[in-house]
Amino acid sequence: MKILVINGPNLNMLGIREPGIYGDRSFSALEEFIRASAKELEAEVSLFQSNHEGEIVDVIQSAYGVFDGIVINPAAYTHTSVAILDALKAVAIPTVEVHLSDINSREEFRQHSFVSLAAQKTICGLGFDGYKEALAYLCENK
Ligand code: CA2
């Protein structure tokens, strides 16, 4: 099982500010957590982070025929990006959307997700554990 994990804009700043919302652990701790979770689940993961919408579209397109699943936290692009939605629909790779925080109990503008329209499942508010749950879901439903 080959899974591409995509993290969107500003997630590389994790741990630096807003610990009350996103926790106090760093982005490199998140990457380590994802790698350890994948190892436990016997899945192969590739990690990608970008602050640029077009780069995220490019990496989704290049996943076609290569990866069996995608885990994506599109960060702020969740709420704005039809381009990322269209790329996920184009490749039709089983996708799980993850958010560290519970976007449904935050500001109204965070309560709508374009990406949810292409995801098989959305996991919110579980912090780092949400990524492990997403990987496990893809492994169980391959
Ligand atoms: O809860 C999530 O995982 C989000 O996808 C995180 C995004 C936010 O725009 C989404 O609405 C929900 C924000 C990414 C990280 O933002 C930071 C802000 C300040 C300090 C560190 C990270």
Side-chain angles (χ1 to χ4, degrees):
M1 183 79 186
K2 285 182 72 175
I3 301 173
L4 174 63
V5 180
I6 302 171
N7 280 300
N10 297 308
L11 284 161
N12 56 313
M13 301 294 281
L14 274 184
I16 294 173
R17 287 191 52 228
E18 304 215 66
I21 300 174
Y22 302 118
D24 58 7
R25 288 184 285 175
S26 65
F27 183 66
S28 59
L30 174 61
E31 291 200 317
E32 267 174 50
F33 176 85
I34 294 168
R35 286 189 207 285
S37 302
K39 199 172 175 191
E40 220 176 283
L41 293 160
E42 297 179 356
E44 195 182 316
V45 275
S46 282
L47 306 186
F48 179 80
Q49 189 276 330
S50 176
N51 295 322
H52 305 279
E53 186 176 23
E55 285 183 2
I56 294 172
V57 169
D58 287 343
V59 80
I60 293 168
Q61 288 185 7
S62 64
Y64 184 72
V66 177
F67 288 94
D68 309 303
I70 294 176
V71 172
I72 184 166
N73 182 345
Y77 290 138
T78 306
H79 319 296
T80 62
S81 183
V82 177
I84 292 174
L85 167 64
D86 286 346
L88 290 169
K89 283 190 164 175
V91 298
I93 297 170
T95 295
V96 179
E97 175 187 6
V98 173
H99 298 283
L100 294 161
S101 65
D102 179 8
I103 56 172
N104 297 311
S105 61
R106 297 185 61 192
E107 303 96 318
E108 205 176 325
F109 70 86
R110 294 188 202 273
Q111 296 180 20
H112 176 262
S113 166
F114 284 102
V115 169
S116 287
L117 299 169
Q120 291 190 352
K121 189 177 167 71
T122 299
I123 299 167
C124 304
L126 299 184
F128 284 16
D129 288 341
Y131 288 81
K132 187 172 185 182
E133 198 168 290
L135 293 172
Y137 176 87
L138 289 170
C139 291
E140 282 157 21
N141 294 279
K142 58 186 175 212

PDB file of all heavy atoms in Angstrom, residues 38-50:
ATOM      1  N   ALA A  38       2.884   4.739   9.756  1.00  0.00           N
ATOM      2  CA  ALA A  38       2.896   3.967   8.509  1.00  0.00           C
ATOM      3  C   ALA A  38       3.663   2.658   8.699  1.00  0.00           C
ATOM      4  O   ALA A  38       3.233   1.600   8.222  1.00  0.00           O
ATOM      5  CB  ALA A  38       3.518   4.796   7.393  1.00  0.00           C
ATOM      6  N   LYS A  39       4.766   2.737   9.417  1.00  0.00           N
ATOM      7  CA  LYS A  39       5.580   1.539   9.665  1.00  0.00           C
ATOM      8  C   LYS A  39       4.755   0.499  10.413  1.00  0.00           C
ATOM      9  O   LYS A  39       4.731  -0.679  10.055  1.00  0.00           O
ATOM     10  CB  LYS A  39       6.815   1.933  10.473  1.00  0.00           C
ATOM     11  CG  LYS A  39       7.908   0.919  10.406  1.00  0.00           C
ATOM     12  CD  LYS A  39       9.175   1.426  11.044  1.00  0.00           C
ATOM     13  CE  LYS A  39      10.197   0.294  11.054  1.00  0.00           C
ATOM     14  NZ  LYS A  39      11.353   0.604  11.862  1.00  0.00           N
ATOM     15  N   GLU A  40       4.047   0.971  11.448  1.00  0.00           N
ATOM     16  CA  GLU A  40       3.194   0.076  12.250  1.00  0.00           C
ATOM     17  C   GLU A  40       2.124  -0.588  11.385  1.00  0.00           C
ATOM     18  O   GLU A  40       1.782  -1.757  11.564  1.00  0.00           O
ATOM     19  CB  GLU A  40       2.505   0.934  13.310  1.00  0.00           C
ATOM     20  CG  GLU A  40       2.401   0.296  14.666  1.00  0.00           C
ATOM     21  CD  GLU A  40       1.782   1.278  15.648  1.00  0.00           C
ATOM     22  OE1 GLU A  40       2.497   2.193  16.106  1.00  0.00           O
ATOM     23  OE2 GLU A  40       0.588   1.140  15.924  1.00  0.00           O
ATOM     24  N   LEU A  41       1.602   0.169  10.422  1.00  0.00           N
ATOM     25  CA  LEU A  41       0.517  -0.340   9.563  1.00  0.00           C
ATOM     26  C   LEU A  41       1.057  -1.077   8.326  1.00  0.00           C
ATOM     27  O   LEU A  41       0.283  -1.510   7.474  1.00  0.00           O
ATOM     28  CB  LEU A  41      -0.375   0.826   9.111  1.00  0.00           C
ATOM     29  CG  LEU A  41      -1.179   1.499  10.221  1.00  0.00           C
ATOM     30  CD1 LEU A  41      -1.622   2.897   9.810  1.00  0.00           C
ATOM     31  CD2 LEU A  41      -2.395   0.643  10.588  1.00  0.00           C
ATOM     32  N   GLU A  42       2.392  -1.133   8.229  1.00  0.00           N
ATOM     33  CA  GLU A  42       3.058  -1.766   7.082  1.00  0.00           C
ATOM     34  C   GLU A  42       2.668  -1.107   5.769  1.00  0.00           C
ATOM     35  O   GLU A  42       2.470  -1.773   4.737  1.00  0.00           O
ATOM     36  CB  GLU A  42       2.801  -3.281   7.063  1.00  0.00           C
ATOM     37  CG  GLU A  42       3.391  -3.948   8.300  1.00  0.00           C
ATOM     38  CD  GLU A  42       3.155  -5.436   8.366  1.00  0.00           C
ATOM     39  OE1 GLU A  42       2.467  -5.977   7.495  1.00  0.00           O
ATOM     40  OE2 GLU A  42       3.679  -6.057   9.313  1.00  0.00           O
ATOM     41  N   ALA A  43       2.552   0.209   5.809  1.00  0.00           N
ATOM     42  CA  ALA A  43       2.275   0.981   4.589  1.00  0.00           C
ATOM     43  C   ALA A  43       3.537   1.773   4.240  1.00  0.00           C
ATOM     44  O   ALA A  43       4.353   2.072   5.107  1.00  0.00           O
ATOM     45  CB  ALA A  43       1.114   1.935   4.831  1.00  0.00           C
ATOM     46  N   GLU A  44       3.643   2.080   2.930  1.00  0.00           N
ATOM     47  CA  GLU A  44       4.780   2.878   2.473  1.00  0.00           C
ATOM     48  C   GLU A  44       4.279   4.317   2.320  1.00  0.00           C
ATOM     49  O   GLU A  44       3.249   4.508   1.654  1.00  0.00           O
ATOM     50  CB  GLU A  44       5.203   2.310   1.109  1.00  0.00           C
ATOM     51  CG  GLU A  44       6.546   2.736   0.619  1.00  0.00           C
ATOM     52  CD  GLU A  44       6.810   2.144  -0.768  1.00  0.00           C
ATOM     53  OE1 GLU A  44       6.505   0.937  -0.970  1.00  0.00           O
ATOM     54  OE2 GLU A  44       7.269   2.880  -1.634  1.00  0.00           O
ATOM     55  N   VAL A  45       4.953   5.285   2.931  1.00  0.00           N
ATOM     56  CA  VAL A  45       4.462   6.672   2.792  1.00  0.00           C
ATOM     57  C   VAL A  45       5.485   7.587   2.148  1.00  0.00           C
ATOM     58  O   VAL A  45       6.685   7.439   2.362  1.00  0.00           O
ATOM     59  CB  VAL A  45       4.071   7.363   4.136  1.00  0.00           C
ATOM     60  CG1 VAL A  45       2.682   7.068   4.576  1.00  0.00           C
ATOM     61  CG2 VAL A  45       5.102   7.211   5.196  1.00  0.00           C
ATOM     62  N   SER A  46       4.957   8.560   1.400  1.00  0.00           N
ATOM     63  CA  SER A  46       5.762   9.678   0.913  1.00  0.00           C
ATOM     64  C   SER A  46       5.141  10.926   1.478  1.00  0.00           C
ATOM     65  O   SER A  46       3.903  11.083   1.425  1.00  0.00           O
ATOM     66  CB  SER A  46       5.704   9.774  -0.612  1.00  0.00           C
ATOM     67  OG  SER A  46       6.519   8.836  -1.179  1.00  0.00           O
ATOM     68  N   LEU A  47       5.965  11.813   2.010  1.00  0.00           N
ATOM     69  CA  LEU A  47       5.456  13.033   2.641  1.00  0.00           C
ATOM     70  C   LEU A  47       5.770  14.244   1.765  1.00  0.00           C
ATOM     71  O   LEU A  47       6.882  14.372   1.251  1.00  0.00           O
ATOM     72  CB  LEU A  47       6.099  13.224   4.018  1.00  0.00           C
ATOM     73  CG  LEU A  47       5.988  12.060   5.007  1.00  0.00           C
ATOM     74  CD1 LEU A  47       6.549  12.455   6.358  1.00  0.00           C
ATOM     75  CD2 LEU A  47       4.548  11.624   5.158  1.00  0.00           C
ATOM     76  N   PHE A  48       4.767  15.119   1.651  1.00  0.00           N
ATOM     77  CA  PHE A  48       4.932  16.333   0.846  1.00  0.00           C
ATOM     78  C   PHE A  48       4.254  17.486   1.557  1.00  0.00           C
ATOM     79  O   PHE A  48       3.126  17.348   2.024  1.00  0.00           O
ATOM     80  CB  PHE A  48       4.286  16.122  -0.538  1.00  0.00           C
ATOM     81  CG  PHE A  48       4.372  17.327  -1.431  1.00  0.00           C
ATOM     82  CD1 PHE A  48       5.533  17.619  -2.131  1.00  0.00           C
ATOM     83  CD2 PHE A  48       3.282  18.185  -1.567  1.00  0.00           C
ATOM     84  CE1 PHE A  48       5.616  18.739  -2.946  1.00  0.00           C
ATOM     85  CE2 PHE A  48       3.355  19.306  -2.379  1.00  0.00           C
ATOM     86  CZ  PHE A  48       4.529  19.576  -3.076  1.00  0.00           C
ATOM     87  N   GLN A  49       4.964  18.604   1.671  1.00  0.00           N
ATOM     88  CA  GLN A  49       4.334  19.829   2.230  1.00  0.00           C
ATOM     89  C   GLN A  49       4.622  20.981   1.283  1.00  0.00           C
ATOM     90  O   GLN A  49       5.728  21.118   0.749  1.00  0.00           O
ATOM     91  CB  GLN A  49       4.912  20.148   3.624  1.00  0.00           C
ATOM     92  CG  GLN A  49       4.168  21.263   4.386  1.00  0.00           C
ATOM     93  CD  GLN A  49       4.608  22.680   4.036  1.00  0.00           C
ATOM     94  OE1 GLN A  49       5.758  22.901   3.678  1.00  0.00           O
ATOM     95  NE2 GLN A  49       3.695  23.629   4.122  1.00  0.00           N
ATOM     96  N   SER A  50       3.594  21.811   1.067  1.00  0.00           N
ATOM     97  CA  SER A  50       3.818  23.005   0.258  1.00  0.00           C
ATOM     98  C   SER A  50       2.902  24.121   0.711  1.00  0.00           C
ATOM     99  O   SER A  50       1.782  23.880   1.177  1.00  0.00           O
ATOM    100  CB  SER A  50       3.565  22.703  -1.221  1.00  0.00           C
ATOM    101  OG  SER A  50       3.704  23.897  -1.972  1.00  0.00           O
TER     102      SER A  50
END
